[in-house]
């Protein structure tokens, strides 16, 4: 029989299990509805659009960027006159600039394979990379992560081009233009190990991809997701076929919800969004451009026809998205419509919007479509509308839709409160976050609707740093020397007016490091058009290093006396436990006054030899332990003056206690010597200085091929400097209390030798 204690223990276990299950259920419930943050965007669209900002300028300016057929794709333009049955072909579309260009070496792809690759794969590689960097995420750091890829497409006609032009491309026929490889290529190149899915539901593909990315993030399948789509028209086939069907606009332009609508206008583009759970985005410090509140997809089912829109199905998907977002229709201010400009599709979509969003609201729903500016980008259509909407949410403005001066007479606009955006409009002030819906309907019958919400304001997310360094390093890199130069030029333009600390942080943490590198130093007043050359002002930006990464050994050098400053290491002590523990360990073996002097306010006390040397040793050792904790393993260590002792300690030559004893004795004995002597830096080579030396002066340091420091008796040092001046060599006197590294140090050697003799030395490790 069970004893009372056993019953009590069983009850306790049961209560603990119930509590565990309750917490788990709460987590699952919360994650199932958690908003998803859009933290990065990369895109390419017609009209030279290469960024979200470019697209925003285009729509705000109300530009129509449809153009003649491109001449760089091998199309037989002379034969593209019509369909042979009296229908003329509209020789206008939306085309990407430089769609035939690609840098395969950047992504580790051979030139031969790059030629066989579908341009849609190339564009998604470029836009995904840019989207990650714009999110502050270095793409190369995602290798091995559970990052998902969800890519939309509407077909791959590039294989016909390859087959016709190159007979030796069979080896790449699968990976070059297979649909599944569109997403797989991204995962392979970046080393991503989350789900990789290619979606083809027709023109709704990229928005369906976003829906599945949101679901994957909420279920925990991935921790970060790339979602989007791409279309490049490698052949003019779609223009010919839609002309034959009577579905192509006579002028090649989409006229959404307009009485002049006469068909679709085809174009191309690519867009990738970086998605993250909102809680993760805030914890990781990533920018929240907008929030995905809800998504939904469904199917037309057995409707009027396979490719015919289904109004009730569109209503259902909108209501499902509102339920997913836990919102009512009147809490959404605007909709970026599918709006292709067809005489059949637009009235059906408008009626669905009137029946859902148009009822029981104080303000009319504002309706627009980016297709009026850039055409129907097919597999990228949904993401194009999303990018435009994200930018509209951020700017608080709704750009007008073009070609829609007279609303369609096939729509009963009195059936609800829906208003076409015929003019550029300020976002209505409602006292709550701005919200908008985005629709995308596929020719396959798959419908999707997404509800976006304004992200938190910048002021809510950013805290001003308590300490701003006077000089900040900016690290820049590129795959080639030319790329590095271009990056430097872009940096100097983009950083204009930005805080140097922000720029430096982003460069160090959000960019991948490539072989060709440069380091700039930016002062606190940088960012106002400062240049990277020697002519930059005191508060400007200076290039201090440039080189190519090699496979050679790594060395760490510790500096000597003169590098000390009040407060050194204090912020690192508060920020990094590794640094704090290492510093405490060193200071425990030094005089109790060192910490107080180092973090005090008396610069003269710190600059005295007796305090400067122990303080420098303590900070240098702690710095090394901090860098070591980051995974840095040098092959060599070296030091100058007191830095030699730090190098010996971290190399394993001296135990910490013995190293501290050596440092303390050295500083005390040097400080006790009579003040006097001089140290002078001269512009001369070592072999030029050696003949000028005597027993009263010596070489204290060789800093470079033509930079030497001499030290010793003041008269003797001055004489050496004067003789070199006769040869046109410049010199500069150092501000020091003693003539270090000279014969004037000899009186301390006997006592110092006694201290050194009591220490334990080991082979360096």
């Amino acid at each position: 029989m069970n004893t009372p204690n056993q019953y009590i223990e069983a009850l306790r276990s049961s209560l603990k299990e119930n509590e565990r299950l309750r917490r788990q259920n709460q987590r699952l419930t919360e994650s199932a509805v958690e908003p998803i943050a859009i933290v990065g965007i990369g895109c390419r669209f017609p009209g030279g659009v290469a960024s979200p900002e470019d697209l925003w300028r285009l729509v705000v300016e109300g530009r129509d960027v449809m153009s003649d057929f491109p001449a760089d794709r091998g199309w037989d333009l002379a034969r593209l006159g019509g369909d042979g049955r009296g229908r003329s072909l509209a020789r206008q579309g939306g085309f990407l600039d430089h769609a035939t260009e690609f840098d395969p070496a950047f992504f580790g792809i051979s030139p031969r394979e790059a030629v066989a690759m579908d341009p849609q794969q190339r564009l998604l590689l470029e836009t995904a990379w840019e989207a990650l960097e714009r999110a502050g995420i270095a793409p190369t750091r995602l290798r091995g992560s559970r990052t998902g890829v969800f890519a939309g497409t509407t077909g791959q006609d590039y294989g016909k081009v390859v087959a016709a032009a190159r007979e030796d491309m069979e080896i790449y026929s699968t990976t070059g233009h297979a649909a599944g490889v569109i997403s797989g290529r991204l995962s392979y190149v970046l080393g991503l190990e989350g789900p990789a899915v290619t979606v083809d539901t027709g023109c709704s593909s990229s928005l369906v991809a976003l829906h599945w990315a949101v679901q994957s993030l909420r279920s925990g399948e991935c921790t970060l997701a790339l979602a989007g789509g791409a279309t490049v028209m490698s052949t003019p086939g779609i223009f010919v076929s839609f002309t034959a069907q009577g579905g192509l606009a006579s002028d090649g332009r989409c006229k959404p919800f307009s009485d002049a609508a006469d068909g679709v206008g085809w174009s191309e583009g690519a867009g990738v969004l970086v998605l993250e759970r909102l809680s993760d985005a805030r914890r990781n410090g990533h920018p929240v451009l907008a929030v995905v509140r809800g998504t939904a997809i469904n199917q037309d089912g057995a409707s009027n026809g396979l490719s015919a829109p289904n109004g009730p199905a569109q209503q259902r998907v909108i209501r499902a998205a509102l339920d997913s977002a836990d919102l009512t229709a009147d809490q959404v201010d605007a909709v970026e419509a599918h709006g292709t400009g067809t005489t059949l599709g637009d009235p059906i979509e408008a009626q669905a919007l009137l029946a859902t969003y148009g009822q029981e609201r104080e303000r009319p729903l504002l309706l627009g479509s980016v297709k009026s500016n850039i055409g129907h980008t097919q597999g990228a259509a949904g993401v194009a509308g999303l990018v435009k909407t994200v930018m509209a949410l951020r700017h608080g403005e709704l750009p007008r839709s073009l070609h829609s001066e007279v609303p369609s007479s096939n729509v009963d606009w009195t059936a609800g409160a829906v208003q076409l955006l015929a003019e550029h409009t300020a976002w209505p002030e409602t006292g709550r976050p701005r919200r908008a819906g985005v629709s995308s309907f596929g020719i396959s019958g798959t419908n999707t609707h997404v509800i976006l919400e304004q992200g938190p304001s910048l002021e809510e997310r950013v805290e001003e740093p308590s300490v701003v360094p006077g000089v900040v390093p900016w690290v820049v890199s590129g795959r080639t020397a030319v790329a590095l130069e271009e990056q430097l030029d872009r940096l100097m333009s983009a950083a204009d007016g930005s805080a140097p600390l922000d720029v430096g942080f982003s460069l160090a943490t959000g960019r991948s490091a490539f072989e060709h590198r440069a380091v700039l130093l930016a002062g606190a007043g940088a960012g106002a058009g400062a240049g990277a050359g020697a002519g930059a002002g005191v508060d400007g930006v200076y290039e201090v290093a440039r080189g190519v990464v090699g496979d050679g050994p790594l060395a760490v050098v510790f500096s000597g006396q003169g590098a000390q400053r009040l407060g050194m290491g204090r912020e690192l002590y508060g920020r990094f436990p590794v640094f704090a523990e290492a510093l405490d360990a060193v200071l425990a073996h030094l005089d109790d006054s060192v910490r107080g002097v180092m973090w005090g306010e008396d610069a003269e006390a710190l600059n005295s030899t007796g305090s400067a040397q122990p303080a420098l040793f303590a900070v240098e050792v702690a710095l090394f332990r901090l860098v070591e904790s980051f995974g840095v393993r040098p092959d060599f260590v070296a030091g100058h003056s007191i830095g030699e002792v730090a190098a010996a300690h971290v190399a394993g030559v001296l135990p910490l206690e013995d190293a501290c004893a050596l440092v303390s004795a050295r500083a005390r004995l040097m400080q006790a010597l009579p003040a006097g002597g001089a140290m002078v830096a001269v512009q001369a080579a070592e072999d030029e200085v050696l003949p000028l030396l005597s027993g009263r002066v010596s070489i204290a340091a060789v800093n470079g091929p033509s930079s030497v420091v001499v030290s010793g008796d003041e008269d003797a040092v001055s004489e050496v400097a004067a003789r070199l001046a006769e040869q046109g060599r410049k010199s500069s006197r150092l501000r020091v209390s003693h003539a270090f590294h000279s014969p004037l140090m000899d009186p301390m050697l006997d006592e110092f030798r006694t201290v050194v003799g009591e220490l334990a030395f080991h082979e360096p490790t």
Side-chain angles (χ1 to χ4, degrees):
M1 294 181 60
N2 292 326
T3 66
N5 286 340
Q6 288 175 321
Y7 278 118
I8 293 172
E9 188 59 35
L11 180 61
R12 285 175 178 165
S13 297
S14 177
L15 290 172
K16 286 180 180 178
E17 179 63 10
N18 285 342
E19 178 61 20
R20 186 189 69 81
L21 292 172
R22 187 192 66 78
R23 289 196 303 268
Q24 183 183 38
N25 184 60
Q26 183 179 1
R27 285 196 300 270
L28 291 172
T29 302
E30 290 173 350
S31 64
V33 296
E34 180 175 9
I36 300 299
I38 299 172
V39 299
I41 300 174
C43 63
R44 298 280 191 280
F45 292 111
V49 170
S51 69
E53 292 78 16
D54 287 347
L55 182 63
W56 180 246
R57 281 190 291 270
L58 186 152
V59 295
V60 166
E61 292 167 6
R63 285 190 280 136
D64 174 335
V65 295
M66 307 302 276
S67 62
D68 294 337
F69 284 178
D72 62 351
R73 303 192 187 184
W75 295 3
D76 190 347
L77 300 179
R79 295 181 59 188
L80 295 176
D83 66 347
R85 290 181 288 179
R87 297 188 182 95
S88 61
L89 179 70
R91 298 161 65 97
Q92 291 268 306
F95 300 99
L96 294 174
D97 294 347
H98 315 298
T100 59
E101 298 177 9
F102 182 60
D103 182 5
F106 183 88
F107 297 103
I109 296 169
S110 71
R112 185 165 178 257
E113 184 175 5
V115 171
M117 277 175 60
D118 192 316
Q120 295 170 158
Q121 294 185 24
R122 305 177 202 161
L123 280 170
L124 286 175
L125 282 171
E126 293 175 350
T127 51
W129 189 283
E130 291 172 6
L132 287 166
E133 287 196 333
R134 291 173 68 94
I137 301 169
T140 52
R141 295 180 185 171
L142 291 178
R143 187 166 297 276
S145 68
R146 287 191 299 119
T147 299
V149 178
F150 301 83
T153 181
T154 53
Q156 300 77 44
D157 59 1
Y158 187 66
K160 301 172 186 176
V161 177
V162 172
R166 299 286 296 272
E167 296 180 357
D168 59 342
M169 285 296 172
E170 290 83 358
I171 188 173
Y172 299 119
S173 61
T174 301
T175 59
H177 48 82
V181 179
I182 289 178
S183 57
R185 174 84 67 178
L186 268 174
S187 295
Y188 172 76
V189 170
L190 298 178
L192 312 178
E193 297 181 4
V197 179
T198 301
V199 177
D200 187 351
T201 58
C203 301
S204 60
S205 296
S206 60
L207 227 56
V208 172
L210 174 88
H211 170 78
W212 288 120
V214 168
Q215 301 289 68
S216 186
L217 283 165
R218 284 176 170 167
S219 69
E221 281 183 332
C222 57
T223 54
L224 192 75
L226 302 174
T231 287
V232 175
M233 296 178 287
S234 300
T235 72
I238 194 167
F239 291 97
V240 176
S241 63
F242 263 72
T243 298
Q245 297 167 27
L248 191 69
S250 58
D251 58 358
R253 284 160 173 77
C254 295
K255 308 171 189 70
F257 309 107
S258 170
D259 218 33
D262 61 345
V264 70
W266 292 125
S267 61
E268 55 194 18
V272 173
L273 309 178
V274 183
L275 305 172
E276 195 172 23
R277 287 184 291 269
L278 182 58
S279 57
D280 290 341
R282 284 172 165 161
R283 183 172 60 254
N284 295 329
H286 295 150
V288 180
L289 307 178
V291 173
V292 180
R293 279 289 301 265
T295 66
I297 60 173
N298 71 0
Q299 237 285 336
D300 287 345
S303 58
N304 245 2
L306 174 62
S307 61
N310 184 328
Q314 292 181 15
Q315 292 182 41
R316 287 194 297 272
V317 80
I318 289 170
R319 292 191 174 105
L322 286 167
D323 288 343
S324 170
D326 194 24
L327 295 170
T328 56
D330 63 316
Q331 292 176 305
V332 176
D333 310 309
V335 163
E336 171 68 19
H338 186 58
T340 59
T342 59
T343 54
L344 175 63
D346 279 12
I348 291 174
E349 181 177 7
Q351 295 293 356
L353 291 167
L354 287 161
T356 51
Y357 282 114
Q359 306 303 309
E360 299 179 2
R361 55 186 307 130
E362 294 181 10
R363 297 181 179 85
L365 179 85
L366 300 174
L367 181 64
S369 174
V370 74
K371 293 180 180 67
S372 69
N373 302 92
I374 64 173
H376 189 338
T377 53
Q378 305 171 72
V383 74
L386 278 167
V387 174
K388 172 196 168 185
T389 305
V390 168
M391 299 302 287
L393 287 165
R394 290 174 63 77
H395 285 84
E397 300 173 31
L398 290 158
R400 71 185 179 99
S401 282
L402 310 183
H403 318 306
S404 303
E405 290 78 9
V406 179
S408 173
S409 57
N410 294 319
V411 177
D412 180 8
W413 294 101
T414 65
V418 174
Q419 178 183 321
L420 275 176
L421 282 162
E423 300 293 338
H424 191 86
T425 305
W427 203 292
E429 289 294 337
T430 62
R432 53 166 170 74
R434 303 172 190 134
R435 298 191 186 102
V438 182
S439 291
S440 201
F441 310 132
I443 197 170
S444 65
T446 299
N447 309 305
T448 180
H449 191 71
V450 173
I451 296 176
L452 299 180
E453 184 174 279
Q454 174 187 10
S457 68
L458 189 64
E459 289 73 19
E460 293 175 16
R461 301 196 306 270
V462 176
E463 293 182 7
E464 290 297 322
S466 57
V467 177
V468 178
V471 177
V472 180
W474 289 0
V475 292
V476 189
S477 70
R479 287 281 196 200
T480 65
V482 173
L484 174 61
E485 202 65 54
E486 291 178 353
Q487 287 285 6
L488 289 168
D489 290 342
R490 290 177 63 189
L491 171 63
M492 299 318 299
S493 299
D496 188 15
S498 301
L501 187 60
D502 292 344
V503 176
F505 177 82
S506 297
L507 288 170
T509 62
R511 308 283 288 191
S512 297
F514 297 120
E515 297 86 347
H516 293 260
R517 301 180 184 178
V519 179
L520 314 179
L521 290 184
V538 174
D539 288 331
V541 181
Y542 299 86
E543 181 176 322
V544 294
R546 184 183 297 215
V548 181
V549 175
D551 296 326
L554 177 68
V556 171
V557 181
F558 296 88
S559 64
Q561 190 172 341
Q564 70 275 0
R565 65 175 180 84
L566 287 174
M568 60 181 180
R570 183 162 45 200
E571 286 78 34
L572 291 173
Y573 187 92
R575 171 67 178 82
F576 296 102
V578 171
F579 182 92
E581 291 169 10
L583 188 68
D584 286 343
V586 179
L587 292 176
H589 295 289
L590 297 174
D591 190 275
D592 293 341
S593 65
V594 174
R595 189 193 302 263
V597 172
M598 187 169 68
W599 291 350
E601 299 179 357
D602 189 344
E604 187 175 345
L606 177 61
N607 290 334
S608 68
T609 300
S611 296
Q613 293 188 12
L616 282 170
F617 173 79
V619 171
E620 289 178 350
V621 170
L623 278 172
F624 183 84
R625 298 306 179 203
L626 176 61
V627 173
E628 191 177 43
S629 73
F630 297 154
V632 177
R633 297 290 185 272
D635 300 285
F636 300 97
V637 290
H640 168 67
S641 191
I642 192 63
E644 292 180 89
V645 185
H649 165 60
V650 301
V653 173
L654 281 167
L656 179 59
E657 186 174 358
D658 284 4
C660 289
L662 179 60
V663 167
S664 298
R666 186 180 190 273
R668 173 176 53 80
L669 293 172
M670 283 186 168
Q671 181 72 50
L673 290 171
M679 298 182 75
V680 173
V682 295
Q683 186 187 55
E686 182 181 9
D687 57 2
E688 294 175 304
V689 175
L690 284 172
L692 307 178
L693 303 181
S694 67
R696 297 185 300 140
V697 62
S698 64
I699 291 180
V702 179
N703 293 330
S706 59
S707 178
V708 172
V709 177
V710 293
S711 178
D713 181 84
E714 185 166 358
D715 293 340
V717 169
S718 299
E719 183 180 347
V720 171
R723 294 183 61 179
L724 289 169
E726 293 172 0
Q727 303 172 26
R729 305 304 177 88
K730 297 179 181 178
S731 64
S732 175
R733 182 160 178 164
L734 308 185
R735 295 180 181 178
V736 292
S737 59
H738 295 76
F740 301 119
H741 308 289
S742 79
L744 297 184
M745 297 290 104
D746 289 353
M748 63 169 279
L749 292 182
D750 288 340
E751 190 172 348
F752 189 53
R753 185 178 294 109
T754 301
V755 173
V756 173
E758 297 174 352
L759 306 179
F761 293 88
H762 306 279
E763 287 293 323
T765 57

